[in-house]
Amino acid sequence: MQEGVPVQQLKLIPKVDRVLEWEPVRMLLATHPRELVLRAVRSVLERLRSGARAGGLDDSAFQEPAVCLEVARELAQLSRPSLRRVINGSGIVIHTNLGRSILPEAARDALNTIAFSYSNLEFDLDAGVRGSRYSHVEALLCELTGAEAAIVVNNNAAAVLLALSSMAAGREAVVSRGELVEIGGSFRIPEVMRLSGVTLKEVGTTNRTHPKDYSGAVNEQTAVFLKVHCSNFAVLGFTAEVSAQELVALGAAAGVPVLADMGSGNLIDLSGRLPVPEPTVQDFVRAGVDVITFSGDKLLGGPQAGIIVGKKPFIEAMKKHQLLRALRMDKLTLASLEATLALYRDEMVALKEVPTLKMLTATLPELTARAKKVAGFLRRRTPQGISFKLSEGFSQAGGGTLPLLNLPSMLIEVAVEGLTPNEIESRLRKSEIPVIGRINKNAFLLDPRTMLDSDLPDLAKAISDLAG
């Protein structure tokens, strides 16, 4: 650009008041808060100022049509909710960054009913007196797990915190060194224990812990044996651990209760459906574990929740604990959790209706047929220059569950003339309905395991826009 042009273009930048008088912007003012429109206008004019100084803009960018168009785009961006729907083509079923488990349709109905009306959240309709919010899921949890009592809080870290605070505050909890896990966001079991006022007593080694390690650690300060299911990592090779049954026997002999943090929380025997074993909550209840905590939004496939089941004296003490109010669950989570749990009364219904279970147990032949269907749908709705090719690959459970699980899948490779895989990934991630895929071996891939039928029209549009 010639010398002096940047200065000339700076003079072309309209004043804020003038822009606000232009008809397209006045129409925006009629439907949006003035302060938000004003913010959009100032942002656009600042970009024009920066562009003019850099000498990289055409004079048309400063004219009314172009400025109004940019203001409308900026306003749309400012008005867009921060929490948005995305299309998960990553193949990670319980994707923590993408909201973990998708709720079943039954939860939608429950939320629509409870969210937009009053409810008996804490009202006993039979007795006409104040009731407990926890009663809405306690009987159902006991029915499904075989436990004597149950309570729910806002996530599993809170469940562990409440259980430890209630069972062992001011005393010691004995735990295997190999089970001192760290979950997402650098939250660590030792830190949760310290916050609960419990002294950590490590036994065994990283890879091997024996019954004698627990029995040798018991003293007058021992309040609980803590077992943590390693649901987000695995130790292989020369290993040994004390089973829940063994730990219960050791606890009974020493007069020490057993608390088990199962992490993921699984209510269905998935052996035969998944290639790696995963214990069920019922297994731990039958083993005699006194208190068991697990998540509602991982393998269970429900909303974020911390579920505590176990023997009645321990659960009743937690219901009276002062910490419970700070950790309590809201009515919408309770409604969706109850609806999800009800599906587990029939395992075949749960496998069909709970999206997390349905995705995890989908077979390779089923996914191959689905990949062909999705690829055909996309080919018919996208322009030339975009191609789709099938290739075998793997999906993952995600969400800190089943770390050794690689699920065979049939992936869809998306190629666009003139774009690299990284450019495809970036542009799809920033599309109106963001699409999240993955790159492997210099190819952009979508996994049909985690994509919904309702995603396909928006997916086709996002991919079509890549050719523009």
Side-chain angles (χ1 to χ4, degrees):
M1 185 170 283
Q2 299 176 351
E3 185 177 354
V5 171
V7 175
Q8 294 173 2
Q9 285 195 336
L10 286 172
K11 295 179 181 179
L12 295 177
I13 298 174
K15 302 293 184 183
V16 171
D17 290 345
R18 182 185 173 196
V19 175
L20 292 174
E21 292 175 354
W22 288 341
E23 184 60 26
V25 177
R26 289 176 63 187
M27 292 176 65
L28 294 175
L29 283 166
T31 55
H32 293 81
R34 179 180 176 82
E35 287 302 315
L36 200 62
V37 177
L38 192 59
R39 183 177 164 192
V41 170
R42 287 170 174 163
S43 178
V44 169
L45 297 185
E46 182 57 35
R47 285 204 298 270
L48 289 175
R49 193 170 291 109
S50 297
R53 287 170 178 158
L57 295 178
D58 187 86
D59 285 355
S60 62
F62 302 88
Q63 296 175 2
E64 179 178 336
V67 173
C68 289
L69 180 60
E70 287 303 308
V71 169
R73 287 174 176 170
E74 180 69 16
L75 185 60
Q77 183 68 28
L78 292 173
S79 303
R80 177 180 290 165
S82 177
L83 186 60
R84 299 161 59 194
R85 168 193 162 216
V86 304
I87 296 172
N88 180 12
S90 71
I92 301 174
V93 178
I94 311 169
H95 199 309
T96 297
N97 296 343
L98 303 185
R100 289 192 176 167
S101 293
I102 297 174
L103 294 176
E105 282 298 317
R108 185 196 302 271
D109 297 335
L111 287 169
N112 280 335
T113 299
I114 300 303
F116 301 103
S117 63
Y118 289 104
S119 65
N120 62 328
L121 178 64
E122 291 188 351
F123 187 66
D124 187 327
L125 293 172
D126 291 328
V129 297
R130 180 169 183 165
S132 168
R133 67 178 60 206
Y134 308 107
S135 65
H136 300 293
V137 292
E138 181 174 20
L140 189 49
L141 282 166
C142 293
E143 173 190 333
L144 294 172
T145 66
E148 295 176 5
I151 194 170
V152 290
V153 289
N154 53 19
N155 65 17
N156 191 46
V160 174
L161 178 65
L162 176 62
L164 284 170
S165 298
S166 178
M167 299 173 71
R171 300 175 68 194
E172 292 181 351
V174 181
V175 61
S176 167
R177 186 170 282 110
E179 297 177 359
L180 294 175
V181 303
E182 176 181 311
I183 59 176
S186 299
F187 292 98
R188 299 177 172 182
I189 285 291
E191 300 304 322
V192 173
M193 293 176 72
R194 274 190 277 274
L195 284 173
S196 65
V198 175
T199 300
L200 166 66
K201 189 159 189 176
E202 302 177 34
V203 296
T205 63
T206 302
N207 61 318
R208 292 178 69 82
T209 303
H210 305 282
K212 64 181 181 181
D213 294 318
Y214 288 94
S215 56
V218 175
N219 59 53
E220 65 278 1
Q221 286 299 307
T222 305
V224 68
F225 287 156
L226 173 62
K227 183 168 183 60
V228 182
H229 177 50
C230 301
S231 58
N232 64 352
F233 76 101
V235 179
L236 303 176
F238 187 57
T239 64
E241 70 168 304
V242 179
S243 68
Q245 293 91 332
E246 291 174 309
L247 200 54
V248 167
L250 291 169
V256 176
V258 177
L259 165 63
D261 171 14
M262 289 195 67
S264 301
N266 176 31
L267 295 180
I268 290 182
D269 182 1
L270 295 173
S271 58
R273 293 187 174 93
L274 294 180
V276 297
E278 180 70 9
T280 65
V281 176
Q282 296 91 320
D283 291 334
F284 276 55
V285 172
R286 285 190 291 267
V289 175
D290 296 285
V291 174
I292 304 155
T293 73
F294 55 98
S295 294
D297 58 345
K298 293 187 178 181
L299 284 180
L300 182 62
Q304 177 181 296
I307 301 172
I308 310 172
V309 300
K311 296 179 179 176
K312 194 166 185 177
F314 297 106
I315 302 298
E316 290 302 316
M318 292 178 210
K319 290 179 181 178
K320 298 173 184 175
H321 198 285
Q322 291 299 308
L323 189 58
L324 179 60
R325 186 171 181 86
L327 306 176
R328 74 179 182 179
M329 187 182 288
D330 78 295
K331 64 182 180 181
L332 300 185
T333 309
L334 275 169
S336 55
L337 179 60
E338 181 183 16
T340 303
L341 289 170
L343 298 173
Y344 279 87
R345 283 176 160 150
D346 185 324
E347 288 191 359
M348 297 310 297
V349 170
L351 288 164
K352 179 182 177 182
E353 299 294 333
V354 178
T356 296
L357 294 180
K358 187 176 181 179
M359 291 177 186
L360 286 174
T361 57
T363 65
L364 182 57
E366 290 171 342
L367 291 166
T368 300
R370 177 160 174 74
K372 291 177 180 179
K373 175 185 174 182
V374 172
F377 181 94
L378 295 174
R379 287 190 188 99
R380 293 190 296 272
R381 289 164 176 78
T382 51
Q384 293 183 348
I386 301 177
S387 63
F388 306 92
K389 183 173 68 175
L390 303 189
S391 61
E392 291 189 9
F394 291 92
S395 313
Q396 291 184 317
T401 62
L402 303 170
L404 297 179
L405 181 63
N406 280 320
L407 295 166
S409 189
M410 185 61 68
L411 311 180
I412 303 171
E413 179 182 334
V414 182
V416 182
E417 289 182 5
L419 293 180
T420 67
N422 290 87
E423 289 170 333
I424 295 172
E425 185 278 333
S426 177
R427 288 181 56 175
L428 286 178
R429 176 166 38 85
K430 298 172 184 176
S431 59
E432 183 178 356
I433 305 295
V435 178
I436 310 299
R438 70 177 190 258
I439 296 175
N440 187 45
K441 296 181 179 178
N442 200 35
F444 178 79
L445 303 169
L446 294 172
D447 192 330
R449 184 186 296 274
T450 51
M451 293 191 299
L452 309 176
D453 288 342
S454 57
D455 289 333
L456 299 186
D458 291 319
L459 176 62
K461 181 182 184 306
I463 294 176
S464 294
D465 290 344
L466 295 176

